[in-house]
Amino acid sequence: MRGAERGAADSRGRGGDDSRGAGGWWRRKSSPAKVETYTRWSFHFFALAEFAAVGVPFGSGVWQGPVLWLPLTAVVHCTLSAVTASRALDWTRGRRPRPVRLMMAFALVTVAVAAAALWTAEHGPGSKEVDTAAGGVFGVVLIFAAGVTTLGVRGWRQALAVVAGYAAASGALALLLGAPAPAVLVSVAAVLLGGGFMATTSVFSVWLLDTVYRLDEARETRARLAVAEERLRFGRDLHDVMGRNLAVIALKSELAVQLARRGRPEAVEQMIEVQRIARESQREVRDVVRGYREADLGVELLGAQGVLTAAGIECEVRGEVGGLPSEVQSALGWVVRETTTNVLRHGNAARCAVQVRVTDGKVVLTVENDGADGEGAKAGAGSAGGGSGLAGLAERLRKVGGTLEAGIAGDGLFRVVTEVPLVVNEPVVTEVLS
């Protein structure tokens, strides 16, 4: 057992190092959290793309002298765009109130930067390069602002209203600063098309993120319902056994009390009958519990497949279980139950494979699932005490001479291998590797 403990400690150390190493923070995230992280960094990338669009002319030497302040204000706009996107995404997830003031400030800064860019293009130094670059800043800030602001609204109608508002603002600014009519129409059309594309991207991203979280919640709900259904099944079986007998015991004991008060000798016979029914009920309860605790392996495999499938986890079961000794089936049935619970509770599994094979006079049960991280693997393999957890299964398997090995078998793959001899021999030492 000391060797088993050393192996478990070494395995836990490797799992912990892997979770803390490069990329460990990403592997520890659930699938919805990964999608949220990807979405957030996508909008931060939009801010970088906006910065690149307004900063390229600065690198080429256009922004110099009296117009140097314009790209600097555009950089401020890019920073505010990233902050607004992050706060708006928090609002969509229900983690903070809608950032109304921040969105209003962002819109005002956008209009101010756009107006300054258009004024520079119309009334600036007169350089063609400066006019072109300033016109680019005018369109870029309005288009990206439309996409970011859309994150803070609900529904397509409000998103379209945001895009239309920024397009109208571009047209109004162009008219106020004396731009010709064709340039006004071009600016309005450019903001409508570009802002519409950005708004569509924002709305779709939020919808996708909400859908992923809802699917994950539905999966957890299905898993809880599957467990609750199993508990209800056991409760119904116990009620069917005890309900009638308890009713008969109550009636006969009441009859015995009435007979005893009248001094009738039949009261003794009624109490003897009550005693017999109580003993019979006790035996039937033992049978129900024994049937639950020593279930058939085939039934357990079908139940595990149903529970995992209901939880949205693809489950594949291979192998034949017919003809196996009852003690072997009972022990392996407990392994199937515990591993199924671990798959549901630990990690983020999408697939589980169960295989039963008979070789060299022993039965080998292998359960593999993906989506196992370092913490989930330690929680699944390290739970013990009171007959629960894989360590508790070791005690149960020891009675039939079985062995159990559990641990990480690859990148995110958790494997449990159980071997039980067909002929029960003396108990052997069981190793649990976590």
Side-chain angles (χ1 to χ4, degrees):
M1 293 302 291
R2 292 180 179 176
E5 293 173 356
R6 285 194 298 269
D10 293 342
S11 179
R12 285 193 294 268
R14 289 192 299 269
D17 293 340
D18 180 70
S19 62
R20 291 191 295 267
W25 68 275
W26 178 259
R27 286 190 293 269
R28 287 192 297 269
K29 289 179 177 291
S30 63
S31 294
K34 290 178 180 178
V35 175
E36 181 178 352
T37 302
Y38 171 79
T39 304
R40 288 181 179 276
W41 282 104
S42 296
F43 285 101
H44 292 164
F45 174 78
F46 287 163
L48 293 177
E50 180 185 355
F51 172 76
V54 301
V56 169
F58 174 74
S60 63
V62 173
W63 301 112
Q64 295 179 359
V67 293
L68 178 59
W69 56 271
L70 185 55
L72 297 180
T73 58
V75 171
V76 173
H77 182 270
C78 296
T79 304
L80 189 59
S81 174
V83 174
T84 304
S86 180
R87 297 292 179 87
L89 284 174
D90 286 339
W91 168 70
T92 62
R93 299 305 319 139
R95 297 179 185 135
R96 65 171 68 239
R98 182 186 299 194
V100 178
R101 294 182 179 179
L102 180 60
M103 292 169 59
M104 293 177 61
F106 178 63
L108 292 176
V109 171
T110 300
V111 172
V113 174
L118 188 59
W119 182 88
T120 302
E122 296 294 332
H123 308 286
S127 172
K128 183 177 180 180
E129 291 79 4
V130 171
D131 294 345
T132 303
V137 173
F138 172 77
V140 166
V141 295
L142 289 171
I143 290 173
F144 278 90
V148 172
T149 307
T150 306
L151 292 174
V153 299
R154 293 287 191 185
W156 284 102
R157 292 184 178 180
Q158 295 185 19
L160 292 176
V162 169
V163 176
Y166 276 103
S170 68
L173 288 175
L175 287 175
L176 290 175
L177 294 176
V184 173
L185 294 177
V186 169
S187 65
V188 172
V191 174
L192 277 176
L193 294 177
F197 173 77
M198 294 295 296
T200 302
T201 302
S202 300
V203 172
F204 179 77
S205 298
V206 172
W207 172 83
L208 180 62
L209 184 59
D210 289 340
T211 301
V212 170
Y213 270 102
R214 289 174 183 173
L215 289 175
D216 187 68
E217 292 174 358
R219 173 180 170 179
E220 293 181 358
T221 301
R222 286 196 298 268
R224 289 194 296 267
L225 289 177
V227 175
E229 183 179 357
E230 177 63 18
R231 292 176 178 174
L232 288 175
R233 183 191 68 80
F234 180 73
R236 286 194 301 267
D237 292 345
L238 192 61
H239 178 270
D240 293 341
V241 170
M242 294 297 298
R244 181 184 61 84
N245 290 350
L246 289 176
V248 173
I249 288 175
L251 290 175
K252 286 188 172 295
S253 61
E254 183 179 356
L255 178 59
V257 170
Q258 296 297 330
L259 292 174
R261 287 176 177 175
R262 298 174 185 176
R264 302 283 297 273
E266 292 87 347
V268 176
E269 297 178 359
Q270 294 297 326
M271 290 308 300
I272 292 175
E273 183 67 13
V274 167
Q275 187 180 40
R276 185 193 65 79
I277 296 175
R279 290 176 177 173
E280 181 68 17
S281 300
Q282 188 178 25
R283 183 190 62 80
E284 291 180 355
V285 169
R286 289 197 188 103
D287 292 339
V288 171
V289 175
R290 185 181 299 110
Y292 183 74
R293 293 173 64 90
E294 299 181 2
D296 181 80
L297 178 58
V299 175
E300 291 300 323
L301 290 174
L302 290 177
Q305 189 174 29
V307 169
L308 292 177
T309 301
I313 301 174
E314 180 184 353
C315 182
E316 178 185 6
V317 178
R318 293 178 294 175
E320 297 293 335
V321 299
L324 297 178
S326 59
E327 292 182 345
V328 174
Q329 292 205 35
S330 176
L332 294 180
W334 270 100
V335 175
V336 172
R337 287 181 183 178
E338 182 61 31
T339 52
T340 301
T341 302
N342 287 343
V343 171
L344 291 173
R345 293 177 58 187
H346 308 299
N348 188 29
R351 184 188 64 83
C352 180
V354 183
Q355 181 181 21
V356 181
R357 69 181 190 275
V358 180
T359 176
D360 297 333
K362 59 186 177 182
V363 184
V364 181
L365 172 67
T366 304
V367 182
E368 292 182 350
N369 65 275
D370 60 358
D373 54 23
E375 296 299 323
K378 289 190 289 184
S383 57
S388 63
L390 298 183
L393 289 178
E395 299 295 331
R396 189 178 299 274
L397 291 171
R398 186 176 302 165
K399 298 178 181 180
V400 294
T403 62
L404 183 145
E405 295 181 0
I408 298 293
D411 187 12
L413 184 67
F414 190 76
R415 178 182 298 162
V416 178
V417 180
T418 305
E419 296 184 0
V420 178
L422 289 174
V423 179
V424 177
N425 299 317
E426 292 297 324
V428 298
V429 177
T430 302
E431 294 186 357
V432 179
L433 302 180
S434 60

mmCIF file with all atom_site columns, all heavy atoms in Angstrom, residues 241-242 245 276-288:
data_model
loop_
_atom_site.group_PDB
_atom_site.id
_atom_site.type_symbol
_atom_site.label_atom_id
_atom_site.label_alt_id
_atom_site.label_comp_id
_atom_site.label_asym_id
_atom_site.label_entity_id
_atom_site.label_seq_id
_atom_site.pdbx_PDB_ins_code
_atom_site.Cartn_x
_atom_site.Cartn_y
_atom_site.Cartn_z
_atom_site.occupancy
_atom_site.B_iso_or_equiv
_atom_site.pdbx_formal_charge
_atom_site.auth_seq_id
_atom_site.auth_comp_id
_atom_site.auth_asym_id
_atom_site.auth_atom_id
_atom_site.pdbx_PDB_model_num
ATOM 1   N N   . VAL A 1 241 ? -42.932 -2.107  -1.594 1.00 0.00 ? 241 VAL A N   1
ATOM 2   C CA  . VAL A 1 241 ? -42.685 -3.209  -0.666 1.00 0.00 ? 241 VAL A CA  1
ATOM 3   C C   . VAL A 1 241 ? -43.284 -2.918  0.709  1.00 0.00 ? 241 VAL A C   1
ATOM 4   O O   . VAL A 1 241 ? -43.932 -3.774  1.329  1.00 0.00 ? 241 VAL A O   1
ATOM 5   C CB  . VAL A 1 241 ? -41.172 -3.488  -0.559 1.00 0.00 ? 241 VAL A CB  1
ATOM 6   C CG1 . VAL A 1 241 ? -40.886 -4.468  0.580  1.00 0.00 ? 241 VAL A CG1 1
ATOM 7   C CG2 . VAL A 1 241 ? -40.651 -4.044  -1.866 1.00 0.00 ? 241 VAL A CG2 1
ATOM 8   N N   . MET A 1 242 ? -43.062 -1.699  1.202  1.00 0.00 ? 242 MET A N   1
ATOM 9   C CA  . MET A 1 242 ? -43.413 -1.390  2.580  1.00 0.00 ? 242 MET A CA  1
ATOM 10  C C   . MET A 1 242 ? -44.828 -0.846  2.751  1.00 0.00 ? 242 MET A C   1
ATOM 11  O O   . MET A 1 242 ? -45.410 -0.965  3.834  1.00 0.00 ? 242 MET A O   1
ATOM 12  C CB  . MET A 1 242 ? -42.421 -0.366  3.140  1.00 0.00 ? 242 MET A CB  1
ATOM 13  C CG  . MET A 1 242 ? -41.005 -0.898  3.277  1.00 0.00 ? 242 MET A CG  1
ATOM 14  S SD  . MET A 1 242 ? -40.909 -2.263  4.444  1.00 0.00 ? 242 MET A SD  1
ATOM 15  C CE  . MET A 1 242 ? -41.435 -1.462  5.949  1.00 0.00 ? 242 MET A CE  1
ATOM 16  N N   . ASN A 1 245 ? -47.561 -3.583  3.576  1.00 0.00 ? 245 ASN A N   1
ATOM 17  C CA  . ASN A 1 245 ? -47.273 -4.264  4.837  1.00 0.00 ? 245 ASN A CA  1
ATOM 18  C C   . ASN A 1 245 ? -47.455 -3.349  6.043  1.00 0.00 ? 245 ASN A C   1
ATOM 19  O O   . ASN A 1 245 ? -47.968 -3.771  7.090  1.00 0.00 ? 245 ASN A O   1
ATOM 20  C CB  . ASN A 1 245 ? -45.842 -4.808  4.823  1.00 0.00 ? 245 ASN A CB  1
ATOM 21  C CG  . ASN A 1 245 ? -45.686 -5.966  3.854  1.00 0.00 ? 245 ASN A CG  1
ATOM 22  O OD1 . ASN A 1 245 ? -46.679 -6.483  3.338  1.00 0.00 ? 245 ASN A OD1 1
ATOM 23  N ND2 . ASN A 1 245 ? -44.461 -6.376  3.614  1.00 0.00 ? 245 ASN A ND2 1
ATOM 24  N N   . ARG A 1 276 ? -45.046 -11.456 12.521 1.00 0.00 ? 276 ARG A N   1
ATOM 25  C CA  . ARG A 1 276 ? -44.679 -12.172 11.297 1.00 0.00 ? 276 ARG A CA  1
ATOM 26  C C   . ARG A 1 276 ? -44.585 -11.223 10.101 1.00 0.00 ? 276 ARG A C   1
ATOM 27  O O   . ARG A 1 276 ? -43.635 -11.287 9.305  1.00 0.00 ? 276 ARG A O   1
ATOM 28  C CB  . ARG A 1 276 ? -45.716 -13.262 11.002 1.00 0.00 ? 276 ARG A CB  1
ATOM 29  C CG  . ARG A 1 276 ? -45.359 -14.151 9.801  1.00 0.00 ? 276 ARG A CG  1
ATOM 30  C CD  . ARG A 1 276 ? -46.545 -14.983 9.381  1.00 0.00 ? 276 ARG A CD  1
ATOM 31  N NE  . ARG A 1 276 ? -47.635 -14.153 8.877  1.00 0.00 ? 276 ARG A NE  1
ATOM 32  C CZ  . ARG A 1 276 ? -47.665 -13.632 7.644  1.00 0.00 ? 276 ARG A CZ  1
ATOM 33  N NH1 . ARG A 1 276 ? -46.657 -13.849 6.798  1.00 0.00 ? 276 ARG A NH1 1
ATOM 34  N NH2 . ARG A 1 276 ? -48.698 -12.897 7.254  1.00 0.00 ? 276 ARG A NH2 1
ATOM 35  N N   . ILE A 1 277 ? -45.553 -10.319 9.992  1.00 0.00 ? 277 ILE A N   1
ATOM 36  C CA  . ILE A 1 277 ? -45.540 -9.373  8.869  1.00 0.00 ? 277 ILE A CA  1
ATOM 37  C C   . ILE A 1 277 ? -44.334 -8.436  8.987  1.00 0.00 ? 277 ILE A C   1
ATOM 38  O O   . ILE A 1 277 ? -43.710 -8.081  7.972  1.00 0.00 ? 277 ILE A O   1
ATOM 39  C CB  . ILE A 1 277 ? -46.858 -8.576  8.838  1.00 0.00 ? 277 ILE A CB  1
ATOM 40  C CG1 . ILE A 1 277 ? -48.035 -9.520  8.571  1.00 0.00 ? 277 ILE A CG1 1
ATOM 41  C CG2 . ILE A 1 277 ? -46.802 -7.488  7.777  1.00 0.00 ? 277 ILE A CG2 1
ATOM 42  C CD1 . ILE A 1 277 ? -49.389 -8.839  8.649  1.00 0.00 ? 277 ILE A CD1 1
ATOM 43  N N   . ALA A 1 278 ? -43.983 -8.020  10.213 1.00 0.00 ? 278 ALA A N   1
ATOM 44  C CA  . ALA A 1 278 ? -42.821 -7.148  10.388 1.00 0.00 ? 278 ALA A CA  1
ATOM 45  C C   . ALA A 1 278 ? -41.545 -7.844  9.943  1.00 0.00 ? 278 ALA A C   1
ATOM 46  O O   . ALA A 1 278 ? -40.689 -7.231  9.273  1.00 0.00 ? 278 ALA A O   1
ATOM 47  C CB  . ALA A 1 278 ? -42.706 -6.714  11.851 1.00 0.00 ? 278 ALA A CB  1
ATOM 48  N N   . ARG A 1 279 ? -41.405 -9.113  10.326 1.00 0.00 ? 279 ARG A N   1
ATOM 49  C CA  . ARG A 1 279 ? -40.219 -9.846  9.891  1.00 0.00 ? 279 ARG A CA  1
ATOM 50  C C   . ARG A 1 279 ? -40.195 -10.037 8.384  1.00 0.00 ? 279 ARG A C   1
ATOM 51  O O   . ARG A 1 279 ? -39.139 -9.954  7.756  1.00 0.00 ? 279 ARG A O   1
ATOM 52  C CB  . ARG A 1 279 ? -40.182 -11.204 10.599 1.00 0.00 ? 279 ARG A CB  1
ATOM 53  C CG  . ARG A 1 279 ? -39.879 -11.102 12.093 1.00 0.00 ? 279 ARG A CG  1
ATOM 54  C CD  . ARG A 1 279 ? -39.960 -12.449 12.755 1.00 0.00 ? 279 ARG A CD  1
ATOM 55  N NE  . ARG A 1 279 ? -39.598 -12.363 14.177 1.00 0.00 ? 279 ARG A NE  1
ATOM 56  C CZ  . ARG A 1 279 ? -39.712 -13.368 15.039 1.00 0.00 ? 279 ARG A CZ  1
ATOM 57  N NH1 . ARG A 1 279 ? -40.177 -14.555 14.621 1.00 0.00 ? 279 ARG A NH1 1
ATOM 58  N NH2 . ARG A 1 279 ? -39.353 -13.209 16.296 1.00 0.00 ? 279 ARG A NH2 1
ATOM 59  N N   . GLU A 1 280 ? -41.366 -10.298 7.817  1.00 0.00 ? 280 GLU A N   1
ATOM 60  C CA  . GLU A 1 280 ? -41.438 -10.440 6.359  1.00 0.00 ? 280 GLU A CA  1
ATOM 61  C C   . GLU A 1 280 ? -41.078 -9.124  5.668  1.00 0.00 ? 280 GLU A C   1
ATOM 62  O O   . GLU A 1 280 ? -40.384 -9.104  4.648  1.00 0.00 ? 280 GLU A O   1
ATOM 63  C CB  . GLU A 1 280 ? -42.854 -10.871 5.971  1.00 0.00 ? 280 GLU A CB  1
ATOM 64  C CG  . GLU A 1 280 ? -43.070 -11.071 4.473  1.00 0.00 ? 280 GLU A CG  1
ATOM 65  C CD  . GLU A 1 280 ? -42.296 -12.258 3.931  1.00 0.00 ? 280 GLU A CD  1
ATOM 66  O OE1 . GLU A 1 280 ? -41.855 -13.121 4.733  1.00 0.00 ? 280 GLU A OE1 1
ATOM 67  O OE2 . GLU A 1 280 ? -42.136 -12.327 2.702  1.00 0.00 ? 280 GLU A OE2 1
ATOM 68  N N   . SER A 1 281 ? -41.539 -8.001  6.243  1.00 0.00 ? 281 SER A N   1
ATOM 69  C CA  . SER A 1 281 ? -41.198 -6.692  5.673  1.00 0.00 ? 281 SER A CA  1
ATOM 70  C C   . SER A 1 281 ? -39.706 -6.435  5.758  1.00 0.00 ? 281 SER A C   1
ATOM 71  O O   . SER A 1 281 ? -39.097 -5.901  4.819  1.00 0.00 ? 281 SER A O   1
ATOM 72  C CB  . SER A 1 281 ? -41.957 -5.588  6.409  1.00 0.00 ? 281 SER A CB  1
ATOM 73  O OG  . SER A 1 281 ? -43.359 -5.776  6.302  1.00 0.00 ? 281 SER A OG  1
ATOM 74  N N   . GLN A 1 282 ? -39.111 -6.821  6.893  1.00 0.00 ? 282 GLN A N   1
ATOM 75  C CA  . GLN A 1 282 ? -37.671 -6.648  7.042  1.00 0.00 ? 282 GLN A CA  1
ATOM 76  C C   . GLN A 1 282 ? -36.911 -7.439  5.984  1.00 0.00 ? 282 GLN A C   1
ATOM 77  O O   . GLN A 1 282 ? -35.938 -6.952  5.409  1.00 0.00 ? 282 GLN A O   1
ATOM 78  C CB  . GLN A 1 282 ? -37.250 -7.079  8.440  1.00 0.00 ? 282 GLN A CB  1
ATOM 79  C CG  . GLN A 1 282 ? -35.803 -6.760  8.782  1.00 0.00 ? 282 GLN A CG  1
ATOM 80  C CD  . GLN A 1 282 ? -35.452 -7.172  10.194 1.00 0.00 ? 282 GLN A CD  1
ATOM 81  O OE1 . GLN A 1 282 ? -36.071 -8.079  10.772 1.00 0.00 ? 282 GLN A OE1 1
ATOM 82  N NE2 . GLN A 1 282 ? -34.466 -6.505  10.774 1.00 0.00 ? 282 GLN A NE2 1
ATOM 83  N N   . ARG A 1 283 ? -37.365 -8.660  5.725  1.00 0.00 ? 283 ARG A N   1
ATOM 84  C CA  . ARG A 1 283 ? -36.704 -9.478  4.703  1.00 0.00 ? 283 ARG A CA  1
ATOM 85  C C   . ARG A 1 283 ? -36.871 -8.864  3.318  1.00 0.00 ? 283 ARG A C   1
ATOM 86  O O   . ARG A 1 283 ? -35.921 -8.831  2.525  1.00 0.00 ? 283 ARG A O   1
ATOM 87  C CB  . ARG A 1 283 ? -37.294 -10.885 4.723  1.00 0.00 ? 283 ARG A CB  1
ATOM 88  C CG  . ARG A 1 283 ? -36.622 -11.852 3.744  1.00 0.00 ? 283 ARG A CG  1
ATOM 89  C CD  . ARG A 1 283 ? -37.387 -13.152 3.636  1.00 0.00 ? 283 ARG A CD  1
ATOM 90  N NE  . ARG A 1 283 ? -38.731 -12.927 3.112  1.00 0.00 ? 283 ARG A NE  1
ATOM 91  C CZ  . ARG A 1 283 ? -38.998 -12.751 1.807  1.00 0.00 ? 283 ARG A CZ  1
ATOM 92  N NH1 . ARG A 1 283 ? -38.009 -12.759 0.914  1.00 0.00 ? 283 ARG A NH1 1
ATOM 93  N NH2 . ARG A 1 283 ? -40.233 -12.557 1.410  1.00 0.00 ? 283 ARG A NH2 1
ATOM 94  N N   . GLU A 1 284 ? -38.063 -8.346  3.017  1.00 0.00 ? 284 GLU A N   1
ATOM 95  C CA  . GLU A 1 284 ? -38.300 -7.761  1.701  1.00 0.00 ? 284 GLU A CA  1
ATOM 96  C C   . GLU A 1 284 ? -37.473 -6.483  1.504  1.00 0.00 ? 284 GLU A C   1
ATOM 97  O O   . GLU A 1 284 ? -36.991 -6.209  0.397  1.00 0.00 ? 284 GLU A O   1
ATOM 98  C CB  . GLU A 1 284 ? -39.794 -7.467  1.537  1.00 0.00 ? 284 GLU A CB  1
ATOM 99  C CG  . GLU A 1 284 ? -40.648 -8.726  1.427  1.00 0.00 ? 284 GLU A CG  1
ATOM 100 C CD  . GLU A 1 284 ? -42.118 -8.391  1.264  1.00 0.00 ? 284 GLU A CD  1
ATOM 101 O OE1 . GLU A 1 284 ? -42.465 -7.193  1.327  1.00 0.00 ? 284 GLU A OE1 1
ATOM 102 O OE2 . GLU A 1 284 ? -42.917 -9.323  1.062  1.00 0.00 ? 284 GLU A OE2 1
ATOM 103 N N   . VAL A 1 285 ? -37.319 -5.692  2.582  1.00 0.00 ? 285 VAL A N   1
ATOM 104 C CA  . VAL A 1 285 ? -36.481 -4.494  2.470  1.00 0.00 ? 285 VAL A CA  1
ATOM 105 C C   . VAL A 1 285 ? -35.041 -4.894  2.189  1.00 0.00 ? 285 VAL A C   1
ATOM 106 O O   . VAL A 1 285 ? -34.353 -4.265  1.372  1.00 0.00 ? 285 VAL A O   1
ATOM 107 C CB  . VAL A 1 285 ? -36.583 -3.646  3.754  1.00 0.00 ? 285 VAL A CB  1
ATOM 108 C CG1 . VAL A 1 285 ? -35.514 -2.558  3.765  1.00 0.00 ? 285 VAL A CG1 1
ATOM 109 C CG2 . VAL A 1 285 ? -37.958 -3.018  3.861  1.00 0.00 ? 285 VAL A CG2 1
ATOM 110 N N   . ARG A 1 286 ? -34.557 -5.939  2.864  1.00 0.00 ? 286 ARG A N   1
ATOM 111 C CA  . ARG A 1 286 ? -33.205 -6.421  2.593  1.00 0.00 ? 286 ARG A CA  1
ATOM 112 C C   . ARG A 1 286 ? -33.061 -6.834  1.132  1.00 0.00 ? 286 ARG A C   1
ATOM 113 O O   . ARG A 1 286 ? -32.041 -6.567  0.500  1.00 0.00 ? 286 ARG A O   1
ATOM 114 C CB  . ARG A 1 286 ? -32.870 -7.602  3.504  1.00 0.00 ? 286 ARG A CB  1
ATOM 115 C CG  . ARG A 1 286 ? -32.655 -7.237  4.959  1.00 0.00 ? 286 ARG A CG  1
ATOM 116 C CD  . ARG A 1 286 ? -31.934 -8.373  5.659  1.00 0.00 ? 286 ARG A CD  1
ATOM 117 N NE  . ARG A 1 286 ? -31.873 -8.162  7.099  1.00 0.00 ? 286 ARG A NE  1
ATOM 118 C CZ  . ARG A 1 286 ? -32.650 -8.801  7.964  1.00 0.00 ? 286 ARG A CZ  1
ATOM 119 N NH1 . ARG A 1 286 ? -33.527 -9.688  7.541  1.00 0.00 ? 286 ARG A NH1 1
ATOM 120 N NH2 . ARG A 1 286 ? -32.540 -8.555  9.257  1.00 0.00 ? 286 ARG A NH2 1
ATOM 121 N N   . ASP A 1 287 ? -34.100 -7.487  0.609  1.00 0.00 ? 287 ASP A N   1
ATOM 122 C CA  . ASP A 1 287 ? -34.035 -7.905  -0.799 1.00 0.00 ? 287 ASP A CA  1
ATOM 123 C C   . ASP A 1 287 ? -33.962 -6.704  -1.734 1.00 0.00 ? 287 ASP A C   1
ATOM 124 O O   . ASP A 1 287 ? -33.217 -6.705  -2.722 1.00 0.00 ? 287 ASP A O   1
ATOM 125 C CB  . ASP A 1 287 ? -35.255 -8.770  -1.148 1.00 0.00 ? 287 ASP A CB  1
ATOM 126 C CG  . ASP A 1 287 ? -35.238 -10.119 -0.434 1.00 0.00 ? 287 ASP A CG  1
ATOM 127 O OD1 . ASP A 1 287 ? -34.138 -10.540 -0.019 1.00 0.00 ? 287 ASP A OD1 1
ATOM 128 O OD2 . ASP A 1 287 ? -36.310 -10.741 -0.306 1.00 0.00 ? 287 ASP A OD2 1
ATOM 129 N N   . VAL A 1 288 ? -34.747 -5.666  -1.415 1.00 0.00 ? 288 VAL A N   1
ATOM 130 C CA  . VAL A 1 288 ? -34.724 -4.469  -2.265 1.00 0.00 ? 288 VAL A CA  1
ATOM 131 C C   . VAL A 1 288 ? -33.350 -3.814  -2.212 1.00 0.00 ? 288 VAL A C   1
ATOM 132 O O   . VAL A 1 288 ? -32.764 -3.455  -3.243 1.00 0.00 ? 288 VAL A O   1
ATOM 133 C CB  . VAL A 1 288 ? -35.816 -3.475  -1.827 1.00 0.00 ? 288 VAL A CB  1
ATOM 134 C CG1 . VAL A 1 288 ? -35.649 -2.146  -2.556 1.00 0.00 ? 288 VAL A CG1 1
ATOM 135 C CG2 . VAL A 1 288 ? -37.191 -4.055  -2.100 1.00 0.00 ? 288 VAL A CG2 1
#
